[in-house]
Amino acid sequence: MNTSKDFLKDAVSLRQDAMSEARRRTILSRLYYAAYHRMNETEIGQQFHRDPKRGVGMHRQFLDHLQHSSDKTFKRTYRHLFDMYKLRILADYKLNKNISVDDVRHQYEDADALFHDILGDTP
């Protein structure tokens, strides 16, 4: 069974060869999913329940759940995860848009902030 740490390890290993745009897209996606699944392992993630009638996808609903949390830590987490989400959408669906090395750097910075600074995970 995969865990959030498996996605994170995979993304970190891919960083060694981030020269191709396809690889950069993969990194953006892996880092987002590592962060998304890690957040689902938290208390607020366990409290989240998708509303199929709401008209937006599960990821967007989860982000809204974080954004409207009364917990300041999760509100801070929302900002990082939302930025990662936007880059993941760009990487997975906007193939006509260029993915830069700076995009990869930003995604790593947000992942690092989320995993280490906010949640206190160790590498």
Side-chain angles (χ1 to χ4, degrees):
M1 181 171 106
N2 281 324
T3 67
S4 59
K5 288 189 179 199
D6 294 325
F7 285 111
L8 183 60
K9 285 178 192 174
D10 189 46
V12 169
S13 72
L14 291 170
R15 190 175 195 179
Q16 307 307 319
D17 182 29
M19 299 312 289
S20 75
E21 186 168 343
R23 179 60 54 97
R24 291 191 298 266
R25 288 177 183 278
T26 300
I27 291 169
L28 295 183
S29 186
R30 290 304 101 211
L31 283 171
Y32 168 75
Y33 280 109
Y36 172 79
H37 288 298
R38 177 61 183 96
M39 287 308 304
N40 272 292
E41 296 166 0
T42 66
E43 180 182 338
I44 198 165
Q46 299 300 310
Q47 296 169 1
F48 170 69
H49 300 287
R50 180 175 185 251
D51 180 358
K53 297 177 185 172
R54 198 158 148 232
V56 295
M58 181 167 35
H59 290 259
R60 185 65 233 184
Q61 286 185 38
F62 183 69
L63 286 163
D64 291 346
H65 179 69
L66 288 174
Q67 183 181 22
H68 296 104
S69 168
S70 59
D71 186 307
K72 289 182 183 185
T73 299
F74 291 118
K75 282 185 179 258
R76 220 171 91 211
T77 300
Y78 161 79
R79 289 189 297 272
H80 292 288
L81 193 61
F82 183 65
D83 287 345
M84 295 178 78
Y85 171 79
K86 291 186 296 186
L87 283 173
R88 197 271 304 176
I89 293 296
L90 185 71
D92 288 351
Y93 301 111
K94 309 292 183 184
L95 299 182
N96 61 330
K97 302 290 185 184
N98 185 49
I99 301 297
S100 70
V101 173
D102 279 344
D103 292 330
V104 172
R105 183 178 51 80
H106 289 298
Q107 197 82 325
Y108 273 107
E109 288 170 356
D110 279 326
D112 188 58
L114 192 147
F115 275 88
H116 305 120
D117 300 340
I118 297 172
L119 297 174
D121 290 354
T122 56

